[in-house]
Amino acid sequence: MTYTPRSDFVHVMQSRGFLADCTDMQSLDEALLVPGQTAYIGFDATAKSLHVGSLIQIMMLRWFQKTGHKPITLMGGGTTKVGDPSFRADERPLLGPEQIDANIAGIKQVFSAYIDYDSGAQMLNNAEWLDDLNYLDFLRDIGRHFSINRMLSFESVKSRLDREQSLSFLEFNYMILQAYDFMELNRRYGCILQMGGSDQWGNIVNGIDLTRRVIQKEVFGLTSPLLETSDGKKMGKSQSGAVWLNAEMLSPYEFWQFWRNTTDADVGRFLKLYTELPLDECDRLGALQGSEINEAKAHLATEVTTLLHGSEAAAAAAETAREVFEKGGVGDDLPTLTLSADDVGDGISIVQLIVKSGLAASGKEAKRLIAEGGAKMNDVPLTEAGTMIDALTLSEPIKLSAGKKRHALVQIG
């Protein structure tokens, strides 16, 4: 039987495809009928930018605010020092405090595009309360509420142990710290809901249980599906690597192009998850066929890029795409590799240029691309992997292409 939600937020989660599971749907739905409730999602600072794989959680926080509530973006300045073992094959590399702070500074740039921190939303850092914990007091007051038997039964831990892969004591403490975060946020800010990907279910349930045991408060958990594209690829990855959200790590054009390359079967679903277009419009665009679906993909790309990078960057990316694909030009917003005269010297191989421009991950891949007829220079197919490019050729920017959809400029600065 399908549950019919009463609150706007639960309705959005259910109707747009965000909802994987909830600990108590009816009670949460009733609680969210009261405006100004607080929910959080945690983000560990393992890199200087989040990637597209985190965008579904960011959109959940955005919708939470748009439906009248107060989201908390929790930066994992403390938990990053331990590392989340959920569904990982090995232990995360440990980062020092300076690197963690630098990563948090980079990640913060993204959130202001989606969330209004002047209207009740907050950005917090769990190092504020985790860094000063007394270990013996923590073991006595908090650790005693956790059952090792139960923790071992969680799928994120069980799958690691079933593969006979090591799980360190340090990592095992992560779920206790995350549970403590939830309780502390409820105690300090009245937070009633933790959200996250479905891989966080066990950690969220621990936080709910701990909050009930220690401070006798009812809180809730809600998870989103771990998204894969219709062809089975993990969301957030492209042929050239992670699809970063920070503009200095991935240009707005490359970000736009990632969405433009969405497979036909995913267009409607992605419009619901990653844009704010009305549901009927998402369904209409997603149902288009033939050449018309390409217009829907461009619409998806522009809408998603506008939310992150602004309307001007999105329009520039769309115009560059038209220049490249419709007019055979190079546009103004293509990824650009700028070399010095010393880099080029007496000549640089076309294979090196393809790798340096990010169109191939290795020389071997670049050579295979050329051999299969997928590499072009200024729209002319490349046939010889040994081709050398001299400084005179680069006196004007050249356009390199890998297949029909990925392009880059190369020039001497």
Side-chain angles (χ1 to χ4, degrees), residues 229-248:
T229 59
S230 59
D231 53 2
K233 295 178 182 176
K234 186 177 181 180
M235 191 62 180
K237 299 289 186 181
S238 71
Q239 286 180 301
S240 55
V243 182
W244 301 109
L245 301 182
N246 287 47
E248 59 268 26

Side-chain angles (χ1 to χ4, degrees), residues 11-243:
H11 172 72
V12 168
M13 292 297 98
Q14 193 175 79
S15 62
R16 299 187 79 97
F18 286 96
L19 184 60
D21 211 341
C22 182
T23 53
D24 186 342
M25 179 77 78
Q26 184 170 344
S27 296
L28 173 63
D29 192 27
E30 291 173 358
L32 292 179
L33 291 172
V34 180
Q37 298 298 327
T38 302
Y40 91 98
I41 299 178
F43 299 86
D44 278 345
T46 54
K48 290 184 178 179
S49 171
L50 299 175
H51 61 64
V52 163
S54 298
L55 193 52
I56 190 169
Q57 278 78 48
I58 296 173
M59 289 299 293
M60 290 166 78
L61 291 173
R62 180 176 173 87
W63 279 113
F64 194 73
Q65 185 170 45
K66 285 174 68 69
T67 53
H69 302 294
K70 298 182 291 186
I72 292 176
T73 310
L74 184 64
M75 294 287 97
T79 43
T80 304
K81 296 171 184 176
V82 175
D84 184 1
S86 299
F87 293 98
R88 285 183 59 86
D90 52 13
E91 185 174 349
R92 291 183 186 273
L94 296 181
L95 302 178
E98 290 184 1
Q99 183 62 61
I100 291 173
D101 289 343
N103 289 350
I104 288 175
I107 291 170
K108 282 181 177 180
Q109 298 173 27
V110 169
F111 284 103
S112 59
Y114 292 91
I115 297 168
D116 182 2
Y117 291 101
D118 295 324
S119 300
Q122 296 184 82
M123 180 173 287
L124 305 173
N125 187 333
N126 62 14
E128 180 182 339
W129 51 83
L130 295 182
D131 279 2
D132 295 327
L133 286 176
N134 179 290
Y135 187 59
L136 291 179
D137 290 342
F138 185 75
L139 284 179
R140 182 194 61 201
D141 299 335
I142 304 300
R144 65 190 180 90
H145 294 291
F146 289 84
S147 162
I148 292 292
N149 305 63
R150 187 181 182 207
M151 292 162 76
L152 287 172
S153 70
F154 288 130
E155 189 60 35
S156 59
V157 174
K158 189 178 176 183
S159 62
R160 183 97 160 254
L161 297 178
D162 286 347
R163 296 192 300 268
E164 298 184 356
Q165 291 164 334
S166 174
L167 181 72
S168 73
F169 177 72
L170 182 68
E171 292 176 290
F172 208 68
N173 277 270
Y174 185 93
M175 62 181 72
I176 302 178
L177 295 177
Q178 185 171 328
Y180 186 80
D181 281 346
F182 198 179
M183 184 184 72
E184 197 65 21
L185 287 170
N186 180 268
R187 185 153 42 194
R188 295 183 181 213
Y189 303 101
C191 181
I192 66 165
L193 173 63
Q194 181 183 175
M195 300 184 290
S198 57
D199 60 333
Q200 295 299 311
W201 180 256
N203 293 341
I204 292 173
V205 169
N206 272 332
I208 292 170
D209 189 49
L210 181 67
T211 304
R212 186 185 69 251
R213 287 171 179 268
V214 177
I215 59 176
Q216 293 78 51
K217 293 291 182 67
E218 182 184 21
V219 291
F220 307 96
L222 185 151
T223 60
S224 62
L226 291 181
L227 217 59
E228 288 187 344
T229 59
S230 59
D231 53 2
K233 295 178 182 176
K234 186 177 181 180
M235 191 62 180
K237 299 289 186 181
S238 71
Q239 286 180 301
S240 55
V243 182

Side-chain angles (χ1 to χ4, degrees), residues 305-348:
T305 305
T306 296
L307 281 175
L308 177 58
H309 295 299
S311 57
E312 289 186 11
E319 179 58 30
T320 294
R322 279 190 288 272
E323 286 284 331
V324 171
F325 296 112
E326 296 176 12
K327 303 177 184 178
V330 296
D332 297 321
D333 200 28
L334 278 183
T336 301
L337 170 66
T338 301
L339 302 172
S340 68
D342 288 341
D343 291 330
V344 178
D346 295 330
I348 184 169

